[in-house]
């Protein structure tokens, strides 16, 4: 009888641990996704802003 109680306790602890680990891994994946999205947005921003300071010449004056 005592062995059955220990077995039930262990199984319930394993079930709780499985649920906690599932939540923890989901949280880690979400954080990684947010970091990746933020990095991509920053990269796109800097790429788009890096070319705005330079303007091609509109008119060419060849007079001297």
């Amino acid at each position: 009888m005592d062995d059955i109680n220990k077995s039930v306790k262990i199984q319930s602890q394993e079930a709780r641990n499985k649920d906690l680990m599932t939540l923890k891994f989901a949280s880690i994946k979400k954080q990684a996704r947010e970091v990746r999205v933020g990095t991509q947005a920053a990269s796109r921003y800097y790429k788009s802003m890096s070319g705005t300071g330079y303007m091609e010449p509109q008119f060419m004056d060849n007079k001297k």
Side-chain angles (χ1 to χ4, degrees), residues 16-26:
R16 275 195 306 269
N17 287 342
K18 181 181 176 186
D19 293 339
L20 290 173
M21 290 305 296
T22 302
L23 290 173
K24 184 66 173 176
F25 287 139

mmCIF file of all heavy atoms in Angstrom, residues 16-26:
data_model
loop_
_atom_site.group_PDB
_atom_site.id
_atom_site.type_symbol
_atom_site.label_atom_id
_atom_site.label_comp_id
_atom_site.label_asym_id
_atom_site.label_seq_id
_atom_site.Cartn_x
_atom_site.Cartn_y
_atom_site.Cartn_z
ATOM 1 N N ARG A 16 3.003 17.472 -12.874
ATOM 2 C CA ARG A 16 3.156 18.908 -12.594
ATOM 3 C C ARG A 16 4.426 19.444 -13.239
ATOM 4 O O ARG A 16 4.422 20.531 -13.838
ATOM 5 C CB ARG A 16 3.200 19.159 -11.086
ATOM 6 C CG ARG A 16 1.839 19.276 -10.442
ATOM 7 C CD ARG A 16 1.935 19.877 -9.050
ATOM 8 N NE ARG A 16 2.863 19.155 -8.179
ATOM 9 C CZ ARG A 16 2.537 18.151 -7.373
ATOM 10 N NH1 ARG A 16 1.291 17.728 -7.324
ATOM 11 N NH2 ARG A 16 3.440 17.574 -6.621
ATOM 12 N N ASN A 17 5.507 18.695 -13.106
ATOM 13 C CA ASN A 17 6.769 19.133 -13.695
ATOM 14 C C ASN A 17 6.677 19.233 -15.213
ATOM 15 O O ASN A 17 7.235 20.142 -15.819
ATOM 16 C CB ASN A 17 7.904 18.174 -13.305
ATOM 17 C CG ASN A 17 8.309 18.346 -11.870
ATOM 18 O OD1 ASN A 17 8.012 19.357 -11.234
ATOM 19 N ND2 ASN A 17 9.000 17.347 -11.336
ATOM 20 N N LYS A 18 5.958 18.300 -15.821
ATOM 21 C CA LYS A 18 5.791 18.338 -17.278
ATOM 22 C C LYS A 18 5.041 19.602 -17.691
ATOM 23 O O LYS A 18 5.429 20.281 -18.644
ATOM 24 C CB LYS A 18 5.038 17.099 -17.757
ATOM 25 C CG LYS A 18 4.862 17.065 -19.259
ATOM 26 C CD LYS A 18 4.089 15.855 -19.709
ATOM 27 C CE LYS A 18 3.862 15.915 -21.214
ATOM 28 N NZ LYS A 18 3.004 14.847 -21.683
ATOM 29 N N ASP A 19 3.976 19.919 -16.958
ATOM 30 C CA ASP A 19 3.218 21.129 -17.261
ATOM 31 C C ASP A 19 4.076 22.379 -17.078
ATOM 32 O O ASP A 19 4.045 23.298 -17.906
ATOM 33 C CB ASP A 19 1.971 21.219 -16.376
ATOM 34 C CG ASP A 19 0.952 20.135 -16.690
ATOM 35 O OD1 ASP A 19 0.997 19.579 -17.810
ATOM 36 O OD2 ASP A 19 0.110 19.846 -15.810
ATOM 37 N N LEU A 20 4.850 22.420 -15.998
ATOM 38 C CA LEU A 20 5.707 23.576 -15.748
ATOM 39 C C LEU A 20 6.778 23.721 -16.828
ATOM 40 O O LEU A 20 7.072 24.837 -17.280
ATOM 41 C CB LEU A 20 6.367 23.467 -14.367
ATOM 42 C CG LEU A 20 5.438 23.645 -13.173
ATOM 43 C CD1 LEU A 20 6.174 23.358 -11.870
ATOM 44 C CD2 LEU A 20 4.861 25.049 -13.147
ATOM 45 N N MET A 21 7.343 22.611 -17.245
ATOM 46 C CA MET A 21 8.366 22.675 -18.280
ATOM 47 C C MET A 21 7.772 23.102 -19.622
ATOM 48 O O MET A 21 8.397 23.848 -20.377
ATOM 49 C CB MET A 21 9.077 21.321 -18.420
ATOM 50 C CG MET A 21 9.965 20.983 -17.253
ATOM 51 S SD MET A 21 11.202 22.246 -16.878
ATOM 52 C CE MET A 21 12.188 22.199 -18.347
ATOM 53 N N THR A 22 6.571 22.647 -19.906
ATOM 54 C CA THR A 22 5.906 23.068 -21.140
ATOM 55 C C THR A 22 5.697 24.579 -21.140
ATOM 56 O O THR A 22 5.968 25.258 -22.138
ATOM 57 C CB THR A 22 4.555 22.348 -21.291
ATOM 58 O OG1 THR A 22 4.784 20.941 -21.279
ATOM 59 C CG2 THR A 22 3.856 22.728 -22.582
ATOM 60 N N LEU A 23 5.246 25.117 -20.017
ATOM 61 C CA LEU A 23 5.052 26.566 -19.905
ATOM 62 C C LEU A 23 6.381 27.309 -20.012
ATOM 63 O O LEU A 23 6.469 28.355 -20.665
ATOM 64 C CB LEU A 23 4.372 26.913 -18.584
ATOM 65 C CG LEU A 23 2.910 26.494 -18.446
ATOM 66 C CD1 LEU A 23 2.413 26.755 -17.022
ATOM 67 C CD2 LEU A 23 2.057 27.237 -19.452
ATOM 68 N N LYS A 24 7.403 26.786 -19.369
ATOM 69 C CA LYS A 24 8.718 27.439 -19.397
ATOM 70 C C LYS A 24 9.281 27.461 -20.810
ATOM 71 O O LYS A 24 9.778 28.496 -21.272
ATOM 72 C CB LYS A 24 9.676 26.702 -18.451
ATOM 73 C CG LYS A 24 11.019 27.332 -18.331
ATOM 74 C CD LYS A 24 10.936 28.687 -17.674
ATOM 75 C CE LYS A 24 12.328 29.232 -17.406
ATOM 76 N NZ LYS A 24 12.289 30.569 -16.861
ATOM 77 N N PHE A 25 9.205 26.339 -21.524
ATOM 78 C CA PHE A 25 9.715 26.294 -22.887
ATOM 79 C C PHE A 25 8.914 27.215 -23.809
ATOM 80 O O PHE A 25 9.479 27.854 -24.691
ATOM 81 C CB PHE A 25 9.722 24.866 -23.428
ATOM 82 C CG PHE A 25 10.802 24.007 -22.832
ATOM 83 C CD1 PHE A 25 10.547 22.697 -22.496
ATOM 84 C CD2 PHE A 25 12.068 24.501 -22.603
ATOM 85 C CE1 PHE A 25 11.530 21.894 -21.953
ATOM 86 C CE2 PHE A 25 13.062 23.711 -22.060
ATOM 87 C CZ PHE A 25 12.791 22.397 -21.732
ATOM 88 N N ALA A 26 7.611 27.297 -23.597
ATOM 89 C CA ALA A 26 6.789 28.205 -24.402
ATOM 90 C C ALA A 26 7.207 29.652 -24.147
ATOM 91 O O ALA A 26 7.282 30.456 -25.085
ATOM 92 C CB ALA A 26 5.319 28.005 -24.084
#
